[in-house]
Amino acid sequence: MAYVDGHDKPDDATTGQCPFCRAPQREDAEALIVHRGEHAYVVLNLYPYNPGHLLVCPYRHVADLTELTTAERDEVGALSATAMTVLRAVSAPHGFNLGMNQGEAAGAGIAAHLHQHVVPRWGGDANFFPIIAGTKALPQVLGETRELLAAAWPGATC
């Protein structure tokens, strides 16, 4: 319901409510951050489509891919590729959905802060819950998923 009610959906950086700006200020486990890079970080989606659904977010509060520097764009791409490698090692998905929704009209839940989705997929992973109950069954809590992915990230020390 927090998602439906618009909790943590900012219009701009002046509100101080952007979850993607607040997350890096918190401890990794509390914020569900899997990895921190120089220009971007990887965090579990609080409202995942599937277990292990990751978001790659630049630290800078920008809304559009064209606003990123070359270094930021390169790192978002590199972190997305590493996320796929880590997810394959941890949970053996059969495929992935990757993408960015640019603007509310395109389906961005938090349009004010750019983020790349990395969604692991398995054959037959769609079930009847989304249709009947408007929810999905996730067999693992976010904290456990975060620990597995953070520990498997290349160069991890946790």
Side-chain angles (χ1 to χ4, degrees):
M1 285 307 300
Y3 179 78
V4 172
D5 289 341
H7 180 71
D8 284 343
K9 288 187 179 181
D11 293 324
D12 60 43
T14 63
T15 64
Q17 296 301 308
C18 179
F20 299 143
C21 289
R22 283 196 321 258
Q25 299 169 17
R26 298 166 43 206
E27 294 293 323
D28 288 358
E30 177 190 1
L32 299 173
I33 292 174
V34 173
H35 175 77
R36 293 175 187 258
E38 183 179 347
H39 303 288
Y41 67 97
V42 181
V43 63
L44 279 165
N45 189 337
L46 286 176
Y47 309 104
Y49 301 144
N50 269 342
H53 179 170
L54 294 170
L55 303 173
V56 181
C57 305
Y59 292 113
R60 254 184 351 113
H61 188 89
V62 297
D64 196 271
L65 183 64
T66 61
E67 297 175 55
L68 293 179
T69 66
T70 300
E72 288 169 329
R73 274 194 314 273
D74 288 350
E75 188 168 49
V76 166
L79 289 175
S80 297
T82 301
M84 292 173 64
T85 300
V86 170
L87 284 162
R88 282 186 179 118
V90 170
S91 54
H94 301 139
F96 292 92
N97 290 120
L98 298 168
M100 295 180 189
N101 301 321
Q102 296 281 263
E104 284 187 38
I110 300 175
H113 196 131
L114 175 87
H115 53 284
Q116 164 96 322
H117 292 261
V118 180
V119 184
R121 300 298 306 268
W122 293 266
D125 65 9
N127 61 45
F128 63 90
F129 282 130
I131 297 165
I132 301 204
T135 191
K136 289 194 79 162
L138 297 175
Q140 192 172 56
V141 296
L142 289 173
E144 292 174 3
T145 304
R146 185 245 162 228
E147 287 296 321
L148 286 170
L149 296 173
W153 204 271
T157 58
C158 56

